Amino acid sequence: MDYFLTEEQRMIQDLSAQIAKEKIRPIRAQLDQQEEFPWETVKVLAQSDLYGLYIPEEYGGMGGGIFENCLAVEQLAYACIGVATTFAASGLGAYPILLYGSDEQKENYLPDIATGKRLAAFGLTESGAGSDVSGIQTTAVRDGDSYILNGTKQWITNGGEAEIYSILAITDRSKGPRGGSFFILEKGDPGFTFGKKEKKLGLRASATRELVFQDCRIPKDRLIGREGMGFIIAMKTFDKSRPGIGILGVGLSQGALDIAVEYARKRVQFGKPIISFQAIQHKLANMAIKTEAARALIYSTARYMDTDPHDSSKVAAMCKVFGGDVAMEVTTEAVQVLGGYGYMQDYPVEKMMRDAKILQIYEGTNEIQRNIIGQELNKEYGRMKDTFF
Ligand SMILES: Cc1cc2nc3c(=O)[nH]c(=O)nc-3n(C[C@H](O)[C@H](O)[C@H](O)COP(=O)(O)OP(=O)(O)OC[C@H]3O[C@@H](n4cnc5c(N)ncnc54)[C@H](O)[C@@H]3O)c2cc1C
């Protein structure tokens, strides 16, 4: 399928694919088994300028958008979504600054994020606040020229490895949804430490860790935007980042599909390659249809989002749901096509299936995405004058 990429977009795709093939594929099993953070690959990605794809040129980036970033993430995910998540999560941490930061904050942080010199992370989730973000307990109290943070964030991607953290904290609980604010935290800020490092089903090349704030004092100019904008910043950030989660699913699905087709062409049972059995052909066909459909949805959505539309929550949620569900289905079917060999660590599809599950959970579960889509549909149809029956 030709998606009519520009020459520059093809170059981004080719470069990312080359890094995935040469630098990620050979070590993905080791990263998974040893739960290693992929620092070597991060350095290669930094040298290739890919960290700056979506960051404006004035802040040292390439001046592209969500679409260009998706092209890179897809190729990295083809080899390993653990590494690709590490890459994409830096963007998630950068978006609050990019969207709502002051000029000084942008100048201070974005150039280092764009060059990959410093990784970023995004801290929202807490032990009692997952889907229901309003339950967060971390507080930020103004004290003269400082804010003092107390609380613990849980399951933060790039936790402990990143240098720059965008963190949501409560500044005024009495204001409810207008009582949250975003802050920039730096590794090394007094009172900011790292807690439990998680052991996971999949996505093991990605670090997932607690962030602990104990009387953590930061200068007041680390507030992003204004006090009370925290929940809006979180939602606008997710609108920008959710196509990137969907495209992780597309890259992963394509990786599993390619292995399944190659295996089915080589594996002989009953005297024939198993691809000659219609049951196997239909599985592969469904895998290919869904992967391409997810790619088409996410490419067109990412291009649309780069026009800065107001109504992006619904389509961003659709990308996240569809990319994640397709990846779960396609990787599970890939294991089935490989039979017992698919269940063994000798082939990468068992890792792909373990990895895929996260795409239905993080950055808002797929149930929550469907809630968003349903609520937006209700609003849209409520505004329409037409009737349909
Ligand atoms: C590997 C990993 C990395 C992560 N990285 C980050 C990160 O970098 N930054 C960060 O802030 N967070 C991160 N998270 C947290 C992640 O975003 C949350 O796990 C997710 O939002 C769901 O929250 P929860 O796990 O507490 O589930 P819960 O909210 O407890 O949900 C449990 C179940 O109930 C369902 N449910 C809950 N409410 C509703 C509802 N209203 N309607 C229908 N179903 C509902 C959910 O869909 C789910 O199936 C990460 C999580 C993991 C596992």
Side-chain angles (χ1 to χ4, degrees):
M1 174 82 99
D2 190 341
Y3 287 98
F4 304 106
L5 303 185
T6 63
E7 199 178 324
E8 198 181 6
Q9 289 165 345
R10 274 185 211 286
M11 281 166 60
I12 293 166
Q13 210 177 35
D14 291 347
L15 177 62
S16 315
Q18 189 188 349
I19 293 172
K21 187 174 178 188
E22 292 173 6
K23 304 290 180 187
I24 304 177
R25 227 163 85 175
I27 58 165
R28 65 182 166 192
Q30 176 197 325
L31 294 173
D32 175 58
Q33 281 157 19
Q34 297 176 6
E35 301 182 54
E36 266 177 51
F37 189 79
W39 270 117
E40 287 307 313
T41 315
V42 167
K43 282 183 203 153
V44 172
L45 291 168
Q47 282 159 7
S48 67
D49 290 337
L50 290 176
Y51 274 105
L53 281 175
Y54 60 95
I55 293 180
E57 287 173 7
E58 59 183 309
Y59 300 115
M62 306 269 280
I66 293 170
F67 183 54
E68 281 75 16
N69 206 40
C70 279
L71 291 174
V73 170
E74 179 184 358
Q75 296 307 317
L76 303 180
Y78 179 82
C80 174
I81 66 160
V83 176
T85 291
T86 295
F87 174 80
S90 200
L92 183 63
Y95 261 112
I97 305 173
L98 190 55
L99 294 176
Y100 293 95
S102 65
D103 289 346
E104 277 173 7
Q105 287 171 340
K106 289 179 185 173
E107 278 157 22
N108 276 344
Y109 295 104
L110 294 181
D112 280 357
I113 296 174
T115 53
K117 190 173 164 197
R118 295 199 280 174
L119 295 184
F122 179 89
L124 197 144
T125 304
E126 300 179 4
S127 59
S131 303
D132 182 6
V133 186
S134 69
I136 68 168
Q137 298 298 320
T138 297
T139 53
V141 176
R142 180 77 185 265
D143 181 38
D145 284 345
S146 311
Y147 279 96
I148 300 173
L149 273 78
N150 277 289
T152 301
K153 295 288 173 187
Q154 171 175 276
W155 303 339
I156 305 307
T157 301
N158 287 349
E161 312 295 337
E163 304 269 342
I164 300 164
Y165 294 80
S166 293
I167 299 295
L168 180 63
I170 298 296
T171 38
D172 186 346
R173 191 165 299 286
S174 69
K175 290 192 175 155
R178 294 185 190 281
S181 306
F182 254 93
F183 295 90
I184 303 170
L185 273 288
E186 292 187 26
K187 193 176 189 174
D189 279 333
F192 175 19
T193 54
F194 303 104
K196 186 179 172 214
K197 196 172 174 186
E198 302 296 340
K199 295 184 86 65
K200 308 191 289 290
L201 170 74
L203 206 77
R204 291 180 178 167
S206 162
T208 312
R209 198 155 175 193
E210 264 180 358
L211 315 179
V212 182
F213 307 107
Q214 270 179 318
D215 293 327
C216 170
R217 184 180 284 273
I218 54 169
K220 72 173 188 332
D221 61 12
R222 299 273 197 87
L223 172 70
I224 303 178
R226 293 190 314 278
E227 267 193 33
M229 288 181 69
F231 291 100
I232 293 171
I233 295 176
M235 296 312 136
K236 293 290 174 195
T237 296
F238 284 142
D239 284 353
K240 298 284 181 192
S241 65
R242 280 179 178 146
I245 301 297
I247 208 74
L248 283 166
V250 172
L252 175 58
S253 299
Q254 189 65 55
L257 173 64
D258 288 355
I259 292 167
V261 174
E262 184 182 335
Y263 183 88
R265 284 168 49 77
K266 289 180 179 160
R267 174 70 170 169
V268 174
Q269 290 291 283
F270 302 97
K272 296 178 192 165
I274 61 169
I275 201 165
S276 63
F277 304 131
Q278 199 178 49
I280 297 290
Q281 284 181 13
H282 283 191
K283 275 190 199 305
L284 296 173
N286 285 334
M287 290 158 74
I289 293 166
K290 288 182 181 170
T291 303
E292 202 59 62
R295 182 178 289 118
L297 170 69
I298 295 162
Y299 278 17
S300 51
T301 302
R303 281 173 159 148
Y304 173 64
M305 305 257 307
D306 281 331
T307 65
D308 243 349
H310 294 297
D311 58 339
S312 53
S313 300
K314 184 180 78 179
V315 280
M318 285 177 173
C319 290
K320 201 262 160 186
V321 166
F322 197 53
D325 285 355
V326 164
M328 195 67 249
E329 197 178 325
V330 168
T331 55
T332 305
E333 285 294 68
V335 170
Q336 192 67 20
V337 169
L338 270 72
Y341 288 105
Y343 202 72
M344 303 299 159
Q345 292 188 353
D346 301 337
Y347 287 87
V349 288
E350 62 83 29
K351 169 189 175 312
M352 291 173 159
M353 184 176 132
R354 283 187 286 110
D355 283 352
K357 187 65 202 162
I358 193 59
L359 298 173
Q360 297 176 311
I361 297 174
Y362 66 4
E363 271 202 58
T365 64
N366 280 8
E367 288 79 11
I368 295 298
Q369 304 310 307
R370 287 186 165 88
N371 290 354
I372 294 170
I373 296 163
Q375 285 153 11
E376 290 295 322
L377 284 174
N378 190 16
K379 278 193 234 161
E380 272 172 35
Y381 281 67
R383 284 193 294 267
M384 284 182 196
K385 294 205 169 51
D386 285 346
T387 56
F388 298 96
F389 60 90

PDB file of all heavy atoms in Angstrom, residues 180-205:
ATOM      1  N   GLY A 180      -5.848  20.532  39.854  1.00  0.00           N
ATOM      2  CA  GLY A 180      -4.598  19.823  39.527  1.00  0.00           C
ATOM      3  C   GLY A 180      -3.682  20.695  38.694  1.00  0.00           C
ATOM      4  O   GLY A 180      -4.149  21.539  37.919  1.00  0.00           O
ATOM      5  N   SER A 181      -2.372  20.514  38.857  1.00  0.00           N
ATOM      6  CA  SER A 181      -1.401  21.310  38.089  1.00  0.00           C
ATOM      7  C   SER A 181      -0.231  20.426  37.673  1.00  0.00           C
ATOM      8  O   SER A 181       0.105  19.457  38.365  1.00  0.00           O
ATOM      9  CB  SER A 181      -0.866  22.463  38.943  1.00  0.00           C
ATOM     10  OG  SER A 181      -1.941  23.222  39.452  1.00  0.00           O
ATOM     11  N   PHE A 182       0.373  20.798  36.548  1.00  0.00           N
ATOM     12  CA  PHE A 182       1.543  20.046  36.059  1.00  0.00           C
ATOM     13  C   PHE A 182       2.837  20.765  36.432  1.00  0.00           C
ATOM     14  O   PHE A 182       2.907  21.998  36.370  1.00  0.00           O
ATOM     15  CB  PHE A 182       1.487  19.895  34.536  1.00  0.00           C
ATOM     16  CG  PHE A 182       1.116  18.510  34.118  1.00  0.00           C
ATOM     17  CD1 PHE A 182      -0.205  18.184  33.879  1.00  0.00           C
ATOM     18  CD2 PHE A 182       2.091  17.522  34.004  1.00  0.00           C
ATOM     19  CE1 PHE A 182      -0.559  16.901  33.522  1.00  0.00           C
ATOM     20  CE2 PHE A 182       1.747  16.228  33.641  1.00  0.00           C
ATOM     21  CZ  PHE A 182       0.416  15.913  33.396  1.00  0.00           C
ATOM     22  N   PHE A 183       3.843  19.979  36.777  1.00  0.00           N
ATOM     23  CA  PHE A 183       5.155  20.533  37.142  1.00  0.00           C
ATOM     24  C   PHE A 183       6.254  19.782  36.406  1.00  0.00           C
ATOM     25  O   PHE A 183       6.087  18.606  36.050  1.00  0.00           O
ATOM     26  CB  PHE A 183       5.387  20.381  38.657  1.00  0.00           C
ATOM     27  CG  PHE A 183       4.434  21.183  39.472  1.00  0.00           C
ATOM     28  CD1 PHE A 183       3.219  20.633  39.891  1.00  0.00           C
ATOM     29  CD2 PHE A 183       4.710  22.502  39.803  1.00  0.00           C
ATOM     30  CE1 PHE A 183       2.313  21.381  40.627  1.00  0.00           C
ATOM     31  CE2 PHE A 183       3.810  23.260  40.533  1.00  0.00           C
ATOM     32  CZ  PHE A 183       2.613  22.694  40.942  1.00  0.00           C
ATOM     33  N   ILE A 184       7.385  20.472  36.221  1.00  0.00           N
ATOM     34  CA  ILE A 184       8.561  19.815  35.649  1.00  0.00           C
ATOM     35  C   ILE A 184       9.482  19.460  36.826  1.00  0.00           C
ATOM     36  O   ILE A 184       9.863  20.325  37.610  1.00  0.00           O
ATOM     37  CB  ILE A 184       9.315  20.744  34.681  1.00  0.00           C
ATOM     38  CG1 ILE A 184       8.377  21.218  33.572  1.00  0.00           C
ATOM     39  CG2 ILE A 184      10.536  20.021  34.101  1.00  0.00           C
ATOM     40  CD1 ILE A 184       8.955  22.336  32.706  1.00  0.00           C
ATOM     41  N   LEU A 185       9.789  18.181  36.930  1.00  0.00           N
ATOM     42  CA  LEU A 185      10.727  17.718  37.957  1.00  0.00           C
ATOM     43  C   LEU A 185      11.994  17.256  37.263  1.00  0.00           C
ATOM     44  O   LEU A 185      11.935  16.744  36.136  1.00  0.00           O
ATOM     45  CB  LEU A 185      10.117  16.533  38.719  1.00  0.00           C
ATOM     46  CG  LEU A 185       9.214  16.828  39.934  1.00  0.00           C
ATOM     47  CD1 LEU A 185      10.024  17.327  41.123  1.00  0.00           C
ATOM     48  CD2 LEU A 185       8.099  17.799  39.623  1.00  0.00           C
ATOM     49  N   GLU A 186      13.112  17.444  37.924  1.00  0.00           N
ATOM     50  CA  GLU A 186      14.379  16.965  37.358  1.00  0.00           C
ATOM     51  C   GLU A 186      14.959  15.899  38.267  1.00  0.00           C
ATOM     52  O   GLU A 186      14.867  16.011  39.497  1.00  0.00           O
ATOM     53  CB  GLU A 186      15.368  18.128  37.229  1.00  0.00           C
ATOM     54  CG  GLU A 186      14.954  19.137  36.181  1.00  0.00           C
ATOM     55  CD  GLU A 186      16.040  20.198  35.959  1.00  0.00           C
ATOM     56  OE1 GLU A 186      17.223  19.923  36.210  1.00  0.00           O
ATOM     57  OE2 GLU A 186      15.665  21.315  35.553  1.00  0.00           O
ATOM     58  N   LYS A 187      15.555  14.891  37.633  1.00  0.00           N
ATOM     59  CA  LYS A 187      16.282  13.886  38.411  1.00  0.00           C
ATOM     60  C   LYS A 187      17.323  14.645  39.236  1.00  0.00           C
ATOM     61  O   LYS A 187      18.018  15.516  38.694  1.00  0.00           O
ATOM     62  CB  LYS A 187      16.981  12.938  37.431  1.00  0.00           C
ATOM     63  CG  LYS A 187      17.525  11.677  38.036  1.00  0.00           C
ATOM     64  CD  LYS A 187      18.098  10.822  36.907  1.00  0.00           C
ATOM     65  CE  LYS A 187      18.467   9.462  37.389  1.00  0.00           C
ATOM     66  NZ  LYS A 187      18.888   8.579  36.288  1.00  0.00           N
ATOM     67  N   GLY A 188      17.399  14.376  40.535  1.00  0.00           N
ATOM     68  CA  GLY A 188      18.370  15.093  41.354  1.00  0.00           C
ATOM     69  C   GLY A 188      17.748  16.217  42.168  1.00  0.00           C
ATOM     70  O   GLY A 188      18.399  16.766  43.055  1.00  0.00           O
ATOM     71  N   ASP A 189      16.482  16.576  41.883  1.00  0.00           N
ATOM     72  CA  ASP A 189      15.817  17.579  42.726  1.00  0.00           C
ATOM     73  C   ASP A 189      15.793  17.045  44.162  1.00  0.00           C
ATOM     74  O   ASP A 189      15.482  15.856  44.370  1.00  0.00           O
ATOM     75  CB  ASP A 189      14.363  17.805  42.248  1.00  0.00           C
ATOM     76  CG  ASP A 189      14.276  18.750  41.064  1.00  0.00           C
ATOM     77  OD1 ASP A 189      15.169  19.607  40.913  1.00  0.00           O
ATOM     78  OD2 ASP A 189      13.311  18.637  40.275  1.00  0.00           O
ATOM     79  N   PRO A 190      16.067  17.896  45.151  1.00  0.00           N
ATOM     80  CA  PRO A 190      16.088  17.406  46.534  1.00  0.00           C
ATOM     81  C   PRO A 190      14.721  16.866  46.949  1.00  0.00           C
ATOM     82  O   PRO A 190      13.700  17.518  46.707  1.00  0.00           O
ATOM     83  CB  PRO A 190      16.462  18.658  47.351  1.00  0.00           C
ATOM     84  CG  PRO A 190      16.256  19.814  46.448  1.00  0.00           C
ATOM     85  CD  PRO A 190      16.377  19.333  45.045  1.00  0.00           C
ATOM     86  N   GLY A 191      14.699  15.668  47.505  1.00  0.00           N
ATOM     87  CA  GLY A 191      13.438  15.063  47.936  1.00  0.00           C
ATOM     88  C   GLY A 191      12.755  14.232  46.857  1.00  0.00           C
ATOM     89  O   GLY A 191      11.661  13.712  47.064  1.00  0.00           O
ATOM     90  N   PHE A 192      13.381  14.109  45.688  1.00  0.00           N
ATOM     91  CA  PHE A 192      12.825  13.289  44.591  1.00  0.00           C
ATOM     92  C   PHE A 192      13.695  12.038  44.438  1.00  0.00           C
ATOM     93  O   PHE A 192      14.866  12.137  44.075  1.00  0.00           O
ATOM     94  CB  PHE A 192      12.813  14.122  43.306  1.00  0.00           C
ATOM     95  CG  PHE A 192      12.374  13.389  42.056  1.00  0.00           C
ATOM     96  CD1 PHE A 192      11.649  12.201  42.108  1.00  0.00           C
ATOM     97  CD2 PHE A 192      12.665  13.908  40.793  1.00  0.00           C
ATOM     98  CE1 PHE A 192      11.244  11.547  40.961  1.00  0.00           C
ATOM     99  CE2 PHE A 192      12.271  13.262  39.625  1.00  0.00           C
ATOM    100  CZ  PHE A 192      11.559  12.077  39.718  1.00  0.00           C
ATOM    101  N   THR A 193      13.093  10.874  44.751  1.00  0.00           N
ATOM    102  CA  THR A 193      13.846   9.610  44.630  1.00  0.00           C
ATOM    103  C   THR A 193      13.013   8.597  43.847  1.00  0.00           C
ATOM    104  O   THR A 193      11.852   8.851  43.521  1.00  0.00           O
ATOM    105  CB  THR A 193      14.174   9.024  46.025  1.00  0.00           C
ATOM    106  OG1 THR A 193      12.942   8.918  46.757  1.00  0.00           O
ATOM    107  CG2 THR A 193      15.163   9.887  46.785  1.00  0.00           C
ATOM    108  N   PHE A 194      13.626   7.455  43.574  1.00  0.00           N
ATOM    109  CA  PHE A 194      12.945   6.402  42.812  1.00  0.00           C
ATOM    110  C   PHE A 194      12.694   5.199  43.693  1.00  0.00           C
ATOM    111  O   PHE A 194      13.577   4.781  44.441  1.00  0.00           O
ATOM    112  CB  PHE A 194      13.777   6.021  41.586  1.00  0.00           C
ATOM    113  CG  PHE A 194      14.050   7.206  40.703  1.00  0.00           C
ATOM    114  CD1 PHE A 194      15.290   7.807  40.687  1.00  0.00           C
ATOM    115  CD2 PHE A 194      13.027   7.748  39.947  1.00  0.00           C
ATOM    116  CE1 PHE A 194      15.524   8.926  39.901  1.00  0.00           C
ATOM    117  CE2 PHE A 194      13.253   8.873  39.166  1.00  0.00           C
ATOM    118  CZ  PHE A 194      14.492   9.459  39.136  1.00  0.00           C
ATOM    119  N   GLY A 195      11.464   4.647  43.595  1.00  0.00           N
ATOM    120  CA  GLY A 195      11.106   3.496  44.417  1.00  0.00           C
ATOM    121  C   GLY A 195      11.132   2.206  43.622  1.00  0.00           C
ATOM    122  O   GLY A 195      12.023   1.996  42.794  1.00  0.00           O
ATOM    123  N   LYS A 196      10.106   1.399  43.839  1.00  0.00           N
ATOM    124  CA  LYS A 196      10.065   0.034  43.295  1.00  0.00           C
ATOM    125  C   LYS A 196      10.188   0.005  41.767  1.00  0.00           C
ATOM    126  O   LYS A 196       9.486   0.739  41.071  1.00  0.00           O
ATOM    127  CB  LYS A 196       8.734  -0.590  43.705  1.00  0.00           C
ATOM    128  CG  LYS A 196       8.604  -2.030  43.346  1.00  0.00           C
ATOM    129  CD  LYS A 196       7.250  -2.553  43.829  1.00  0.00           C
ATOM    130  CE  LYS A 196       7.000  -3.956  43.300  1.00  0.00           C
ATOM    131  NZ  LYS A 196       5.585  -4.186  43.027  1.00  0.00           N
ATOM    132  N   LYS A 197      11.062  -0.874  41.298  1.00  0.00           N
ATOM    133  CA  LYS A 197      11.188  -1.118  39.857  1.00  0.00           C
ATOM    134  C   LYS A 197      10.369  -2.368  39.549  1.00  0.00           C
ATOM    135  O   LYS A 197      10.596  -3.411  40.155  1.00  0.00           O
ATOM    136  CB  LYS A 197      12.669  -1.342  39.533  1.00  0.00           C
ATOM    137  CG  LYS A 197      12.987  -1.230  38.096  1.00  0.00           C
ATOM    138  CD  LYS A 197      14.477  -1.261  37.848  1.00  0.00           C
ATOM    139  CE  LYS A 197      14.702  -1.299  36.355  1.00  0.00           C
ATOM    140  NZ  LYS A 197      16.060  -1.456  35.957  1.00  0.00           N
ATOM    141  N   GLU A 198       9.421  -2.251  38.626  1.00  0.00           N
ATOM    142  CA  GLU A 198       8.476  -3.349  38.407  1.00  0.00           C
ATOM    143  C   GLU A 198       9.070  -4.481  37.575  1.00  0.00           C
ATOM    144  O   GLU A 198       9.862  -4.241  36.661  1.00  0.00           O
ATOM    145  CB  GLU A 198       7.218  -2.826  37.696  1.00  0.00           C
ATOM    146  CG  GLU A 198       6.494  -1.727  38.424  1.00  0.00           C
ATOM    147  CD  GLU A 198       5.917  -2.139  39.766  1.00  0.00           C
ATOM    148  OE1 GLU A 198       5.727  -3.346  40.006  1.00  0.00           O
ATOM    149  OE2 GLU A 198       5.653  -1.239  40.586  1.00  0.00           O
ATOM    150  N   LYS A 199       8.619  -5.716  37.875  1.00  0.00           N
ATOM    151  CA  LYS A 199       8.901  -6.875  37.022  1.00  0.00           C
ATOM    152  C   LYS A 199       7.602  -7.183  36.276  1.00  0.00           C
ATOM    153  O   LYS A 199       6.539  -7.241  36.892  1.00  0.00           O
ATOM    154  CB  LYS A 199       9.334  -8.072  37.871  1.00  0.00           C
ATOM    155  CG  LYS A 199      10.654  -7.810  38.579  1.00  0.00           C
ATOM    156  CD  LYS A 199      11.145  -9.010  39.349  1.00  0.00           C
ATOM    157  CE  LYS A 199      11.948  -9.973  38.497  1.00  0.00           C
ATOM    158  NZ  LYS A 199      13.201  -9.393  37.999  1.00  0.00           N
ATOM    159  N   LYS A 200       7.697  -7.348  34.951  1.00  0.00           N
ATOM    160  CA  LYS A 200       6.468  -7.340  34.162  1.00  0.00           C
ATOM    161  C   LYS A 200       6.305  -8.581  33.277  1.00  0.00           C
ATOM    162  O   LYS A 200       7.278  -9.256  32.935  1.00  0.00           O
ATOM    163  CB  LYS A 200       6.438  -6.085  33.261  1.00  0.00           C
ATOM    164  CG  LYS A 200       6.678  -4.779  34.021  1.00  0.00           C
ATOM    165  CD  LYS A 200       6.391  -3.555  33.171  1.00  0.00           C
ATOM    166  CE  LYS A 200       7.399  -3.317  32.063  1.00  0.00           C
ATOM    167  NZ  LYS A 200       8.720  -2.898  32.537  1.00  0.00           N
ATOM    168  N   LEU A 201       5.049  -8.797  32.857  1.00  0.00           N
ATOM    169  CA  LEU A 201       4.711  -9.863  31.898  1.00  0.00           C
ATOM    170  C   LEU A 201       5.464  -9.662  30.579  1.00  0.00           C
ATOM    171  O   LEU A 201       6.006 -10.592  29.996  1.00  0.00           O
ATOM    172  CB  LEU A 201       3.193  -9.806  31.636  1.00  0.00           C
ATOM    173  CG  LEU A 201       2.634 -10.658  30.512  1.00  0.00           C
ATOM    174  CD1 LEU A 201       2.608 -12.128  30.903  1.00  0.00           C
ATOM    175  CD2 LEU A 201       1.213 -10.215  30.142  1.00  0.00           C
ATOM    176  N   GLY A 202       5.466  -8.452  30.091  1.00  0.00           N
ATOM    177  CA  GLY A 202       6.135  -8.125  28.828  1.00  0.00           C
ATOM    178  C   GLY A 202       6.710  -6.729  28.917  1.00  0.00           C
ATOM    179  O   GLY A 202       6.863  -6.186  30.015  1.00  0.00           O
ATOM    180  N   LEU A 203       7.048  -6.172  27.762  1.00  0.00           N
ATOM    181  CA  LEU A 203       7.575  -4.803  27.709  1.00  0.00           C
ATOM    182  C   LEU A 203       8.773  -4.635  28.648  1.00  0.00           C
ATOM    183  O   LEU A 203       8.945  -3.632  29.313  1.00  0.00           O
ATOM    184  CB  LEU A 203       6.470  -3.811  28.106  1.00  0.00           C
ATOM    185  CG  LEU A 203       6.624  -2.395  27.518  1.00  0.00           C
ATOM    186  CD1 LEU A 203       6.198  -2.404  26.064  1.00  0.00           C
ATOM    187  CD2 LEU A 203       5.782  -1.399  28.287  1.00  0.00           C
ATOM    188  N   ARG A 204       9.590  -5.676  28.698  1.00  0.00           N
ATOM    189  CA  ARG A 204      10.623  -5.710  29.738  1.00  0.00           C
ATOM    190  C   ARG A 204      11.837  -4.851  29.433  1.00  0.00           C
ATOM    191  O   ARG A 204      12.663  -4.630  30.316  1.00  0.00           O
ATOM    192  CB  ARG A 204      11.054  -7.149  29.958  1.00  0.00           C
ATOM    193  CG  ARG A 204       9.967  -7.969  30.599  1.00  0.00           C
ATOM    194  CD  ARG A 204      10.471  -9.355  30.786  1.00  0.00           C
ATOM    195  NE  ARG A 204       9.495 -10.192  31.442  1.00  0.00           N
ATOM    196  CZ  ARG A 204       9.621 -11.492  31.491  1.00  0.00           C
ATOM    197  NH1 ARG A 204      10.646 -12.096  30.918  1.00  0.00           N
ATOM    198  NH2 ARG A 204       8.725 -12.208  32.114  1.00  0.00           N
ATOM    199  N   ALA A 205      11.982  -4.401  28.182  1.00  0.00           N
ATOM    200  CA  ALA A 205      13.097  -3.492  27.883  1.00  0.00           C
ATOM    201  C   ALA A 205      12.759  -2.088  28.356  1.00  0.00           C
ATOM    202  O   ALA A 205      13.622  -1.216  28.372  1.00  0.00           O
ATOM    203  CB  ALA A 205      13.371  -3.479  26.379  1.00  0.00           C
TER     204      ALA A 205
END
